[in-house]
Amino acid sequence: MAKSTWFLLVSLLVVSAAAATQIKVTDNPADELVSVINSNRTAHKASTLYDNPGLACIALQYIKAYQGDCSAVGGTDAKKPLESEFAETFAPNCGVLASTLTPITGRLLGCQSKYVPPSEAFSKILIENSKSLEILYNKNHTEVGAAVRGSDGGSPYFWCVLFSSGKTNSSFATEGGAPKITRPGCFSGADDKCSGADDRSRSSHMWSFFTAALIAMWYAFGL
Ligand SMILES: *[C@@H]1O[C@H](CO)[C@@H](O)[C@H](O)[C@H]1NC(C)=O
Ligand SMILES: *[C@@H]1O[C@H](CO)[C@@H](O)[C@H](O)[C@H]1NC(C)=O
Ligand SMILES: *[C@@H]1O[C@H](CO)[C@@H](O)[C@H](O)[C@H]1NC(C)=O
């Protein structure tokens, strides 16, 4: 009896631990978006762009400037952050040296209430017309930075891609060699794992883990 109880306990813990490790596969949707962009560009004989983490961090700040207002992204009420905000707000928030800021040669911005995977964000939200394709295939770009952010950790979701023609090893350089990582939101190039969707799915996995552990203890101690 005791033996079978322990067997049950151990197998339940193994199963729930396996479920918990599967969450780690999320990686980073901003990095995935850059890889979609680069493979689409190379298919059109345009160069592969360097994924600059300083520029990508600025893309996340750029999203933040919209303060969750989806309607300001497109249509007649479209707004754009002031050029001066790059040096005054975005760069310092990222730890990017203002002296290394380089002109932005293109931007793609989209917002939607539902979270979609990066490949779908690319084809359905960011590339909506021939003008955005022109921006995508522009031969003047040398580097790119991408970001995604939900508002208050949930809907709506903003996607932003900034392109630049700067020198890849010296533009958007950061004080400590890496940009400041801020949450919520994910940006590309920093080799960090990040979840673009809100954290609800993760916590429900945690709950199933604890529930399984509790059930296991119930069996083990005959509670
Ligand atoms: C590149 O993206 C555009 C817009 O989504 C799409 O029409 C085209 O088929 C893509 N090309 C490749 C090679 O994936
Ligand atoms: C590329 O840069 C050159 C020089 O600044 C400019 O004249 C040209 O219009 C740009 N090309 C595109 C496709 O934006
Ligand atoms: C950047 O790259 C260029 C050419 O690839 C090189 O001449 C220059 O020294 C590099 N600068 C730094 C800061 O590494």
Side-chain angles (χ1 to χ4, degrees), residues 128-206:
E128 69 216 357
N129 53 39
S130 58
K131 189 150 171 279
S132 33
L133 280 176
E134 248 169 56
I135 294 169
L136 176 69
Y137 299 138
N138 187 328
K139 294 219 157 57
N140 285 355
H141 307 325
T142 55
E143 52 188 354
V144 64
V148 55
R149 186 182 197 261
S151 307
D152 299 323
S155 172
Y157 295 94
F158 287 75
W159 296 84
C160 179
V161 180
L162 296 180
F163 299 97
S164 171
S165 57
K167 286 207 177 71
T168 56
N169 59 354
S170 56
S171 59
F172 306 98
T174 46
E175 275 153 26
K180 291 178 196 159
I181 296 201
T182 54
R183 297 281 192 259
C186 306
F187 64 87
S188 62
D191 288 328
D192 64 326
K193 289 203 165 118
C194 183
S195 170
D198 61 27
D199 278 327
R200 248 173 271 150
S201 59
R202 181 169 307 203
S203 51
S204 75
H205 276 290
M206 282 314 285

Side-chain angles (χ1 to χ4, degrees), residues 1-8 220:
M1 177 61 196
K3 223 179 228 173
S4 64
T5 305
W6 277 109
F7 176 76
L8 189 63

Side-chain angles (χ1 to χ4, degrees), residues 25-82:
V25 183
T26 47
D27 292 323
N28 188 324
D31 282 326
E32 284 171 45
L33 179 57
V34 167
S35 97
V36 170
I37 286 169
N38 271 330
S39 59
N40 195 290
R41 270 178 64 94
T42 47
H44 283 81
K45 307 213 159 44
S47 61
T48 300
L49 302 175
Y50 169 63
D51 190 352
N52 189 320
L55 178 57
C57 181
I58 285 177
L60 184 55
Q61 295 294 320
Y62 194 94
I63 288 174
K64 216 173 145 193
Y66 283 86
Q67 298 180 310
D69 184 6
C70 235
S71 65
V73 167
T76 50
D77 200 23
K79 291 192 188 77
K80 231 175 152 175
L82 292 174

